[in-house]
Amino acid sequence: MLNGTEDEEKWLAEGIAGIQHNAFYMHRALDSNNLREALKYSAQMLSELRTSKLSPRKYYELYMRAFDELKRLELFFKDDSKHGVSVVDLYELVQHAGNILPRLYLLCTVGSIYIKSKEAPDKEVLKDLVEMCRGVQHPIRGLFLRSYLAQISRDKLPDIGSEYEGDADTVMDAVDFVLQNFTEMNKLWVRMQHQGPGRVREKREKERSELQDLVGKNLHVLSQIEGVDLEMYKETVLPRVLEQVVNCKDDLAQYYLMDCIIQVFPDEYHLQTLETLLGACPQLQPTVDVKTVLSRLMDRLSNYAASSADVLPEFLQVEAFSKLSNAIGKVIEAQVDMPAVGAITLYVSLLTFTLRVHPDRLDHVDQVLGACVKKLSNIPKLEDSRAMKQVVALLSAPLEKYNDIVTALTLSNYPRVMDHLDIGTNKLMAMVIIQSIMKNNSCISTADKVEVLFELIKGLIKDTDGADVDELDEEDFKEEQNSVARLIHMLYNDEPEEMLKIICIVRKHTMVGGPKRLPFTVSSLVFSALRLLRQLQGQEGDIVGEEASMTPNKIFQLLTQIIESLSAVPSAELALRLYLQCAEAANGCDIEHVAYEFFTQAFVLYEEEIADSKAQVTAIHLIIGTLQRMNVFGVENRDTLTHKATGYSARLLKKADQCRAVYACSHLFWVDDQDGIKDGERVLLCLKRALRIANAAQQMANVARGTGGLVSLFVEILNKYIYFFEKGNKQITSSAIQGLIEFINTEMQSDSTNPDSVADAFLASTLRYIQFQKQKGGVVGEKFESIKL
Amino acid sequence: MNYLVGAFKPPCNIFISFTDGRSRKQVPLKKENGKTVMVALFQSQENIVGEVVIEPIHGKKVEHNGVKIELLGQIELYFDRGNFYDFTSLVRELDVPGELYERKTYPFEFSTVEMPYESYNGVNVRLRYILKVTISRNYVSNIVEYQDFVVRNYTPPPSINNSIKMEVGIEDCLHIEFEYSKSKYHLKDVVIGKIYFLLVRIKLKNMELEIRRQESTGSGPNTYVETETLAKFELMDGAPVRGESIPIRLFLSPYELTPTYRNINNKFSVKYYLNLVLVDEEDRRYFKQQEITMYRNLEAS
């Protein structure tokens, strides 16, 4: 129909020129009160609107020009002193025009005056106008003509309270009029789709959507009519509008109009007519985006419900939820081709609705999820990423609403929905759940819930079948596992028994996680168990002997098993640390053999698994540190362990490491407690041994590289000397310290040694300390007095 | 007509006037020279009363063989030019032969004149009524003066006036049903009706209702039929779909219509038709013509 925008511009310009030209003569006729001429030129002017060449947008421009002119004409018509013709005659006169479009524009114009004059019943005129307009069957021209009719009649409808209100039925007349105009406009609008060649379908749809508001305006007018109360809306307006919507069988129109209905009429009307409105949905064309329509409806109702608590009873009264739920079911049934994303979006909306309206009805939430599961189970594999997103939204909504995972855990269908997610999304969702727990600091306190929860997040807990491990992003994975680890700490119950159950369940789930996950989860689990242990200790007095299952021994067994699982990883270092932790806990519980056992395990690991020399250094220091704090051991056990530790220390690879480990071992024989071991002799032995090693290291360094640089070792040993000296170890004498200081000074000044600023500073501050202690006076000062610097 | 008068200056002036000329209704009448003049309007059975004034030109005397006035009803067929068929001819003698020296007034009266046919000015035929005053003279041509007047006859509304309703179509292409509320209309009537589309398989562009006048003159093999379209009234713009019904409301008053004349004095007939025309996008026209009877209604005129 159109050859391009340029031509269109030209035609529009021509049309506008034509209107202006005739309007000029019309104005002249108006000024000279010449009715005949006025009619002639106005008809000619309106003939410009007969064009078929313009797109709706351009046609609208033309229409607006004519519209402005018609307003002037209307003023002239209104004043019969100017033309001397009664309005009735005028009404006939304008109908003499031969062309229908100008004729009807003029008729509408005079009609509006006719109504105002009240010489004929309002409804008769309106009815006549709306009937006569049938003559224009061209979609665009008809739509604009009828929109002109709607425009001029708008303030003249026989509404309640309007001056045109007549007898009781007049509101009905007004409604009838608008409905009829609406129906006809919609027909024209729909018809547009089927005219012209098929290839410009898209363009036509665009043009049509530009015109949609002309049609929708009628609904707006309807909603503005005061007299349309709920009763009338229910009985007349809605059924007739819906009839038109359903029967027009046009997806664009159906979608727009449904949306329009939802937007223009008040919420309470929707609520009271929910059944009717929803009943129309399954009857719409399969291509109509019903889900958006329904979503909007539910959004509106949700907002309405949220607006005031007073309206909630209404929702209950009309059983809004079940109606919506049914409707959605039907729509999904009816629209077989609806993509999964559509169905799920609907469920999301419904869920949002019920969460807002019936926050207390968890069964509703569960029902929605159940329906969703049903739908999803019909789909072999959910691959649409948008659908996934919707499912995530579906699952997140209750979490956000209740801010409490505990509530979600009671929803039986929740995990079933999650089963339908793909692996990635499942993980994502699991993360969302965990984050929700973290954010709200919710504590999951029963074993059952923990079970459900872990069922939910199993995507994070273990490898899912078919998962492509290579694709995993290392960082994401760490993040996920860290979250799981954090989650474990959120599981807590004051009742030790229940807590034990929780731990067992968590263990059950995490043990299957495979070597990559275990390092993350095991430590959390271990510490969780250790906490239980402390908890138990706190209550020990009360329940001792009562619960045979709840002995610390039992827990230690469990711990052993948990840590042993790390051997599969293998992560010996972590296991070692955990064993030491457990040993310390056992120490706290005063169970010697268990503590010993843990130490044994730790040593075994050290011997068998830790080969890396750096790791060994760290491990040995850990062992020494832990062992030092143990007070549960008897002499024999302690001797064995310390002996072992010292032995390992001396066998480290690097001399410096050896030296440091050995002087650290000195602490094993001197526990600075009331009843701690204080074996000064063995301390001295350790330190001397350390000095020897340091010497050897020094010489080795000299020989091998010609450098010193290990002077700081001596300074470190010096510090140990000072420590024990201060603690009152009789074996450490001031002369020994003094000797060591002199030795260090000589070493430092020796030619072979490169200046070592770190060591220098270390020594200097050590000496300052001694100086400081001296100046303190009293017992300490006296003691240090003997050291001469 | 009176070119002789122009050639030889007539010795007198003749004026014809009606007694009730001031109060009588005047209607426009188109003369041969294209000018429209206002003339008196009569109907059948009326008394035609008036006077003729003859006024000799100053100082001249008019000798004559008698003065008469005739009332003539004539049918003039243009293809048979010059031949008038007088279907009515009434004569009143106004004066016996003698001489006229000065202005003289002659009253005349035709009582309850039978004028069954209406004045009509068509394409090929004209029906007219005239008053003709003749001053007969010896040796020289008669002095003649004419006065036209118009006759219109009113009929009461018909007792039977059925609607016209018809279903027409082209097989598998277009089926419509149309209805005009009446088959007989007075001249200021309104055609009310509707067109109902039963089947539309062609792309229509618009639809018009035409008023056509068919004037047939002569008889037998010499019948001349002339059809004029008096009105083109657009009823519909654009293409309708099945089930659509389009209203018709056509006011007849703006058009110059006459009543239907059937076989007037065996010379001519004038018939009216409503022609419904549908035009498709390729400008093909589909039409259906229906005769309607027009009549003159006293109340509405």
Side-chain angles (χ1 to χ4, degrees), chain B residues 135-147:
Chain B
I135 304 172
S136 318
R137 293 196 289 180
N138 288 328
Y139 319 121
V140 283
S141 58
N142 297 339
I143 301 171
V144 181
E145 178 65 31
Y146 300 93
Q147 172 64 51

PDB file of all heavy atoms in Angstrom, chain B residues 135-147:
ATOM      1  N   ILE B 135     -54.585  37.371 -30.820  1.00  0.00           N
ATOM      2  CA  ILE B 135     -55.359  38.442 -31.472  1.00  0.00           C
ATOM      3  C   ILE B 135     -55.293  38.142 -32.962  1.00  0.00           C
ATOM      4  O   ILE B 135     -54.222  38.244 -33.590  1.00  0.00           O
ATOM      5  CB  ILE B 135     -54.763  39.837 -31.178  1.00  0.00           C
ATOM      6  CG1 ILE B 135     -54.678  40.081 -29.654  1.00  0.00           C
ATOM      7  CG2 ILE B 135     -55.593  40.940 -31.859  1.00  0.00           C
ATOM      8  CD1 ILE B 135     -53.938  41.348 -29.284  1.00  0.00           C
ATOM      9  N   SER B 136     -56.406  37.672 -33.484  1.00  0.00           N
ATOM     10  CA  SER B 136     -56.413  37.270 -34.897  1.00  0.00           C
ATOM     11  C   SER B 136     -56.549  38.508 -35.771  1.00  0.00           C
ATOM     12  O   SER B 136     -57.304  39.433 -35.463  1.00  0.00           O
ATOM     13  CB  SER B 136     -57.586  36.335 -35.194  1.00  0.00           C
ATOM     14  OG  SER B 136     -57.735  35.414 -34.151  1.00  0.00           O
ATOM     15  N   ARG B 137     -55.758  38.477 -36.850  1.00  0.00           N
ATOM     16  CA  ARG B 137     -55.827  39.629 -37.736  1.00  0.00           C
ATOM     17  C   ARG B 137     -55.892  39.164 -39.181  1.00  0.00           C
ATOM     18  O   ARG B 137     -55.434  38.057 -39.508  1.00  0.00           O
ATOM     19  CB  ARG B 137     -54.582  40.501 -37.536  1.00  0.00           C
ATOM     20  CG  ARG B 137     -54.520  41.144 -36.181  1.00  0.00           C
ATOM     21  CD  ARG B 137     -53.521  42.265 -36.161  1.00  0.00           C
ATOM     22  NE  ARG B 137     -52.148  41.764 -36.224  1.00  0.00           N
ATOM     23  CZ  ARG B 137     -51.094  42.557 -36.222  1.00  0.00           C
ATOM     24  NH1 ARG B 137     -51.259  43.877 -36.153  1.00  0.00           N
ATOM     25  NH2 ARG B 137     -49.897  42.073 -36.282  1.00  0.00           N
ATOM     26  N   ASN B 138     -56.417  39.994 -39.987  1.00  0.00           N
ATOM     27  CA  ASN B 138     -56.405  39.714 -41.415  1.00  0.00           C
ATOM     28  C   ASN B 138     -55.084  40.158 -41.988  1.00  0.00           C
ATOM     29  O   ASN B 138     -54.485  41.122 -41.532  1.00  0.00           O
ATOM     30  CB  ASN B 138     -57.517  40.496 -42.123  1.00  0.00           C
ATOM     31  CG  ASN B 138     -58.885  39.918 -41.795  1.00  0.00           C
ATOM     32  OD1 ASN B 138     -59.001  38.719 -41.582  1.00  0.00           O
ATOM     33  ND2 ASN B 138     -59.884  40.775 -41.713  1.00  0.00           N
ATOM     34  N   TYR B 139     -54.679  39.493 -43.078  1.00  0.00           N
ATOM     35  CA  TYR B 139     -53.492  39.858 -43.870  1.00  0.00           C
ATOM     36  C   TYR B 139     -52.192  39.793 -43.097  1.00  0.00           C
ATOM     37  O   TYR B 139     -51.164  39.424 -43.617  1.00  0.00           O
ATOM     38  CB  TYR B 139     -53.652  41.258 -44.518  1.00  0.00           C
ATOM     39  CG  TYR B 139     -55.056  41.482 -45.077  1.00  0.00           C
ATOM     40  CD1 TYR B 139     -55.880  42.515 -44.648  1.00  0.00           C
ATOM     41  CD2 TYR B 139     -55.560  40.589 -46.087  1.00  0.00           C
ATOM     42  CE1 TYR B 139     -57.158  42.698 -45.164  1.00  0.00           C
ATOM     43  CE2 TYR B 139     -56.839  40.778 -46.593  1.00  0.00           C
ATOM     44  CZ  TYR B 139     -57.637  41.821 -46.132  1.00  0.00           C
ATOM     45  OH  TYR B 139     -58.886  41.989 -46.616  1.00  0.00           O
ATOM     46  N   VAL B 140     -52.185  40.213 -41.903  1.00  0.00           N
ATOM     47  CA  VAL B 140     -50.934  40.118 -41.132  1.00  0.00           C
ATOM     48  C   VAL B 140     -51.071  39.015 -40.098  1.00  0.00           C
ATOM     49  O   VAL B 140     -52.188  38.553 -39.815  1.00  0.00           O
ATOM     50  CB  VAL B 140     -50.575  41.454 -40.439  1.00  0.00           C
ATOM     51  CG1 VAL B 140     -49.992  42.432 -41.415  1.00  0.00           C
ATOM     52  CG2 VAL B 140     -51.789  42.024 -39.756  1.00  0.00           C
ATOM     53  N   SER B 141     -49.906  38.633 -39.595  1.00  0.00           N
ATOM     54  CA  SER B 141     -49.921  37.506 -38.644  1.00  0.00           C
ATOM     55  C   SER B 141     -50.623  37.915 -37.345  1.00  0.00           C
ATOM     56  O   SER B 141     -50.654  39.092 -36.965  1.00  0.00           O
ATOM     57  CB  SER B 141     -48.480  37.077 -38.341  1.00  0.00           C
ATOM     58  OG  SER B 141     -47.767  38.177 -37.817  1.00  0.00           O
ATOM     59  N   ASN B 142     -51.088  36.852 -36.736  1.00  0.00           N
ATOM     60  CA  ASN B 142     -51.784  37.081 -35.465  1.00  0.00           C
ATOM     61  C   ASN B 142     -50.796  37.545 -34.408  1.00  0.00           C
ATOM     62  O   ASN B 142     -49.605  37.219 -34.445  1.00  0.00           O
ATOM     63  CB  ASN B 142     -52.432  35.789 -34.988  1.00  0.00           C
ATOM     64  CG  ASN B 142     -53.503  35.319 -35.975  1.00  0.00           C
ATOM     65  OD1 ASN B 142     -54.020  36.122 -36.782  1.00  0.00           O
ATOM     66  ND2 ASN B 142     -53.793  34.033 -35.937  1.00  0.00           N
ATOM     67  N   ILE B 143     -51.316  38.275 -33.466  1.00  0.00           N
ATOM     68  CA  ILE B 143     -50.487  38.639 -32.318  1.00  0.00           C
ATOM     69  C   ILE B 143     -50.766  37.611 -31.221  1.00  0.00           C
ATOM     70  O   ILE B 143     -51.928  37.378 -30.859  1.00  0.00           O
ATOM     71  CB  ILE B 143     -50.815  40.066 -31.814  1.00  0.00           C
ATOM     72  CG1 ILE B 143     -50.584  41.051 -32.964  1.00  0.00           C
ATOM     73  CG2 ILE B 143     -49.978  40.408 -30.595  1.00  0.00           C
ATOM     74  CD1 ILE B 143     -51.074  42.454 -32.663  1.00  0.00           C
ATOM     75  N   VAL B 144     -49.679  36.967 -30.740  1.00  0.00           N
ATOM     76  CA  VAL B 144     -49.852  35.875 -29.763  1.00  0.00           C
ATOM     77  C   VAL B 144     -49.018  36.169 -28.505  1.00  0.00           C
ATOM     78  O   VAL B 144     -47.889  36.652 -28.585  1.00  0.00           O
ATOM     79  CB  VAL B 144     -49.380  34.534 -30.378  1.00  0.00           C
ATOM     80  CG1 VAL B 144     -49.587  33.404 -29.393  1.00  0.00           C
ATOM     81  CG2 VAL B 144     -50.118  34.262 -31.669  1.00  0.00           C
ATOM     82  N   GLU B 145     -49.583  35.852 -27.371  1.00  0.00           N
ATOM     83  CA  GLU B 145     -48.828  35.975 -26.117  1.00  0.00           C
ATOM     84  C   GLU B 145     -49.065  34.706 -25.287  1.00  0.00           C
ATOM     85  O   GLU B 145     -50.164  34.176 -25.228  1.00  0.00           O
ATOM     86  CB  GLU B 145     -49.290  37.223 -25.338  1.00  0.00           C
ATOM     87  CG  GLU B 145     -48.617  37.425 -24.005  1.00  0.00           C
ATOM     88  CD  GLU B 145     -47.117  37.694 -24.116  1.00  0.00           C
ATOM     89  OE1 GLU B 145     -46.668  38.281 -25.114  1.00  0.00           O
ATOM     90  OE2 GLU B 145     -46.382  37.268 -23.180  1.00  0.00           O
ATOM     91  N   TYR B 146     -47.954  34.206 -24.673  1.00  0.00           N
ATOM     92  CA  TYR B 146     -48.055  32.979 -23.865  1.00  0.00           C
ATOM     93  C   TYR B 146     -47.799  33.270 -22.401  1.00  0.00           C
ATOM     94  O   TYR B 146     -47.001  34.126 -22.072  1.00  0.00           O
ATOM     95  CB  TYR B 146     -47.000  31.963 -24.318  1.00  0.00           C
ATOM     96  CG  TYR B 146     -47.118  31.550 -25.765  1.00  0.00           C
ATOM     97  CD1 TYR B 146     -46.394  32.202 -26.754  1.00  0.00           C
ATOM     98  CD2 TYR B 146     -47.963  30.496 -26.121  1.00  0.00           C
ATOM     99  CE1 TYR B 146     -46.477  31.817 -28.076  1.00  0.00           C
ATOM    100  CE2 TYR B 146     -48.055  30.109 -27.440  1.00  0.00           C
ATOM    101  CZ  TYR B 146     -47.310  30.753 -28.419  1.00  0.00           C
ATOM    102  OH  TYR B 146     -47.403  30.373 -29.718  1.00  0.00           O
ATOM    103  N   GLN B 147     -48.416  32.494 -21.579  1.00  0.00           N
ATOM    104  CA  GLN B 147     -48.070  32.526 -20.139  1.00  0.00           C
ATOM    105  C   GLN B 147     -47.984  31.084 -19.647  1.00  0.00           C
ATOM    106  O   GLN B 147     -48.969  30.344 -19.672  1.00  0.00           O
ATOM    107  CB  GLN B 147     -49.142  33.306 -19.353  1.00  0.00           C
ATOM    108  CG  GLN B 147     -48.980  33.232 -17.853  1.00  0.00           C
ATOM    109  CD  GLN B 147     -47.679  33.891 -17.370  1.00  0.00           C
ATOM    110  OE1 GLN B 147     -47.381  35.038 -17.722  1.00  0.00           O
ATOM    111  NE2 GLN B 147     -46.904  33.145 -16.602  1.00  0.00           N
TER     112      GLN B 147
END
